[in-house]
């Protein structure tokens, strides 16, 4: 039995894959109407910040894995010490949880990062601003996703204001140069405890306000050399950090065609949802195989072009009435909804479209996503 | 919410598809460890022969559908009269439940059937034997699947023995000529209450002892003309009988290339499991769309050749240990297990393989299925 901490849509989609593999999933969710709780029998309602609840939950599982990266690292160390197979383990997961540690480790490995510095004082801010110039980016080293805990500061005063606010809340800061990227890429790999690894095609990810909106597979116009290099980086990180399960390495592509690592996620990732319909082995099935130490599945795409478009909540309170139009308009669109209440800007689902011509596939995915959120009505 | 009567693997795979569509499934199962009960929260344990239980179950559902065809037809008429959307409705379903009614209706529609006769007496048997010769086939008109309730009788005495046994149990009999078929085909279609219909590629089904073992997609060597005719027959049946949801029409192909209708199933069917990985819209998602009166999804295959092989229980009590070999041997095989205890001959799962060369794809599927059941160990 695989235990998943967190009841969000990632755990929900793990349940979908678990059904086919005949693997029993157990979810620890905070609320009974969480996306995964709605579709997984035996869901345990509990808080991952409550060590006793977490420990009790883990006791019945063969493997413990995650829908998110917010479980305190020390809890995971205790569970591991108690014999629980935590995958990915805390020694790896900490690099997804703490951006400061991540930058230190990646730089020590000689992997390409934007200029960065850990910030403890206003002097640190001034030094960094003097080195890289303004604007630059400040990030909380822990917590934060989908754009939260990230600030772009235009001058030293703005930077100090963020530092003061962070200090009040006990949040440590990391400064990074603001990269003039031409686009964002994501390289996903799976790795098992045996050390077997598989690299998915490198994808392009369109982000707006820090939230993923669309993913193009493969990344259009990316040279073979650049794609292999991005995969090599991701495989290296997985191996060196001892990651098991899925690893997503988000990267910036700069004007000269080189890449800089942006963030790591050690779980199935938004940039991999395309694989649920577009690859021989979807990321959720692959994650389960990997954490169960089963041989990995084939990663190749089943169509020349795949585009995923996120469905973000807008004004339309109910998505289901939009199904008739979307499905009638395009019988080939694959709809994936998360069972979440609609709130503006919230990720409530995604659509995948497979095809052969990029512009056509992208148009189809955008149309479906826009209609499902109520952005367009024809 | 879609209610499914029956907790077998068909309902289990409906849950898998329901998760993606964001549709809530509710299962009425006989046992808490039934395949669908294991993966569907809120499963109601109850007997579909208990009208009050069935009625209570249906009350909370927007649509009622089926994992099997054993719900008494009169119960369904009562539910329909009470306002429940039963899909497929009893007026259609009766033709899947009662083979005698099926033969009468199909022949009245001018659709190709083997010679047949309803049997009430030993004289009826003698007349039929005189007309078509021995051996011929006797079938219980109600009940029976995977080869049960079917007898091949070599002479009049054998036929009378079956008749006597059937009379004791109150079972009505249908006699059919034993068709010297070259192979068995299956034509599946989906139809919605709106009347929209979609026809899947016609497949070849390898049956041993009345149980499906392998399915080849598309049916090798089937001419375009013959395929279209088989699809036309299935679409006609769906429309004339008012079927909603998936309909499988199993057919015999005779030496002269023509087809005779064998059986009907008004639910997702073993001959359609290939579509879970091999078609743009798998049969379980399609069944849900159809019964919910949503526009149907695209039915085309995603690979030139798809082969499904059933995994039937043998000696190996646990299937999971075989995963490592099967997955390592062939990372492209898609494994689908049903969460059932292994019993000899029982359908415990299936594998799908996609590819371009039939012999290669079939070999891969056979190897995987044989290994998973313990028939081979390398």
């Amino acid at each position: 039995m695989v235990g998943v901490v967190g009841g969000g849509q990632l755990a929900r989609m793990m349940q979908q894959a678990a059904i086919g593999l005949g693997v029993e999933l157990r979810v620890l969710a905070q609320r009974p109407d969480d996306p995964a709780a709605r579709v997984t029998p035996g869901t345990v309602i509990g808080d991952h910040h409550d060590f006793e609840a977490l420990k009790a939950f883990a006791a019945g599982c063969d493997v413990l894995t995650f829908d998110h990266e917010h479980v305190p690292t020390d809890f995971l160390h205790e569970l591991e010490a108690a014999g629980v197979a935590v995958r990915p383990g805390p020694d790896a997961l900490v690099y997804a949880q703490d951006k400061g540690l991540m930058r230190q480790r990646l730089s020590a490995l000689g992997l390409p990062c934007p200029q960065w510095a850990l910030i403890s004082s206003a002097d640190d801010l001034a030094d960094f601003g003097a080195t890289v110039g303004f604007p630059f980016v400040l990030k909380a080293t822990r917590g934060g996703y989908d754009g939260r805990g990230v600030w772009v500061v235009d001058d030293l005063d703005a930077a100090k204001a963020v530092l003061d606010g962070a200090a009040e809340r006990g949040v440590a800061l990391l400064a990074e140069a603001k990269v003039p990227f031409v686009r964002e890429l994501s390289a996903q790999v799976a790795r098992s405890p045996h050390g077997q690894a598989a690299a998915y095609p490198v994808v392009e990810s369109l982000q707006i306000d820090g939230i993923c909106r669309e993913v193009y597979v493969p990344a259009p116009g990316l040279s073979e050399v650049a794609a292999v290099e991005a995969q090599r980086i991701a495989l290296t990180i997985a191996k060196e950090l001892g990651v098991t399960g899925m690893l997503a390495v988000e990267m910036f592509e700069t004007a000269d065609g080189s890449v800089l690592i942006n963030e790591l996620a050690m779980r199935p990732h938004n940039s991999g949802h395309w694989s649920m319909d577009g690859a021989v082995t979807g990321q959720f099935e692959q994650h389960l195989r990997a954490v169960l130490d089963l041989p990995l599945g084939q990663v190749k795409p089943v169509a020349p072009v795949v585009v995923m478009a996120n469905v973000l909540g807008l004004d339309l309170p109910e998505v289901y009435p939009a199904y008739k139009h979307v499905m009638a308009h395009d019988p080939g669109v694959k709809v994936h909804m998360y069972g979440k209440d609609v709130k503006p800007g919230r990720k409530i689902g995604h659509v995948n479209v497979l095809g052969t011509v990029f512009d056509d596939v992208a148009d189809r995915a955008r149309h479906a996503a826009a209609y499902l959120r109520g952005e367009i009505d024809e």
Side-chain angles (χ1 to χ4, degrees), chain A residues 100-126:
Chain A
L101 289 177
M102 186 252 300
R103 286 300 181 205
Q104 290 175 310
R105 189 71 195 272
L106 296 182
S107 292
L109 287 167
L111 296 169
C113 294
Q115 288 176 283
W116 62 271
L118 294 174
I119 301 296
S120 304
S121 66
D123 284 346
D124 289 340
L125 290 172

Side-chain angles (χ1 to χ4, degrees), chain A residues 144-366:
Chain A
Y145 64 96
D146 284 352
R148 297 178 195 156
V150 178
W151 303 265
V152 176
V153 292
D154 294 317
D155 53 42
L156 192 54
D157 285 340
K160 285 178 183 176
V162 173
L163 178 60
D164 293 341
E168 275 172 27
R169 295 195 307 285
V171 169
L173 288 181
L174 164 74
E176 296 180 345
K178 193 174 186 308
V179 178
F181 59 82
V182 298
R183 61 177 167 173
E184 302 189 65
L185 304 174
S186 179
Q188 276 189 298
V189 302
R191 185 173 176 277
S192 70
H194 250 78
Q196 185 191 19
Y200 280 86
V202 178
V203 311
E204 175 176 340
S205 164
L206 179 73
Q207 313 260 340
I208 300 179
D209 296 331
I211 297 180
C212 177
R213 297 298 294 272
E214 298 174 3
V215 170
Y216 315 132
V217 191
L222 187 67
S223 71
E224 175 91 16
V225 168
V228 168
E229 175 61 11
Q231 290 176 319
R232 185 195 69 81
I233 288 171
L235 288 166
T236 300
I237 293 173
K239 180 181 176 187
E240 294 296 328
L241 271 48
V243 180
T244 50
M246 292 295 299
L247 165 71
V249 181
E250 295 187 275
M251 304 178 184
F252 296 121
E253 185 185 26
T254 52
D256 64 357
S258 60
V259 296
L260 298 171
I261 299 161
N262 179 16
E263 295 196 357
L264 305 183
M266 295 179 193
R267 48 171 173 75
H269 189 254
N270 205 157
S271 64
H273 292 344
W274 67 273
S275 65
M276 297 172 75
D277 301 294
V280 173
T281 310
Q283 67 165 345
F284 294 98
E285 178 190 335
Q286 194 75 290
H287 182 75
L288 292 174
R289 287 184 178 222
V291 300
L292 286 167
D293 208 12
L294 290 170
L296 302 179
Q298 204 175 50
V299 294
K300 68 180 196 181
V302 298
V305 175
V306 186
V307 173
M308 180 220 72
N310 266 344
V311 180
L312 303 187
L314 197 68
D315 302 323
L316 208 63
E318 291 278 335
V319 174
Y320 189 79
Y323 276 27
K324 281 189 192 293
H325 166 90
V326 169
M327 291 177 172
H329 186 262
D330 196 339
V333 169
K334 307 309 303 176
V335 172
H336 297 266
M337 301 306 298
Y338 306 154
K340 289 161 90 165
D341 294 330
V342 177
K343 284 183 186 156
R346 186 185 221 186
K347 289 181 184 176
I348 57 173
H350 69 270
V351 296
N352 285 330
V353 181
L354 280 58
T356 51
V357 177
F358 177 77
D359 288 341
D360 169 64
V361 176
D363 278 351
R364 291 170 59 195
R366 284 173 193 138

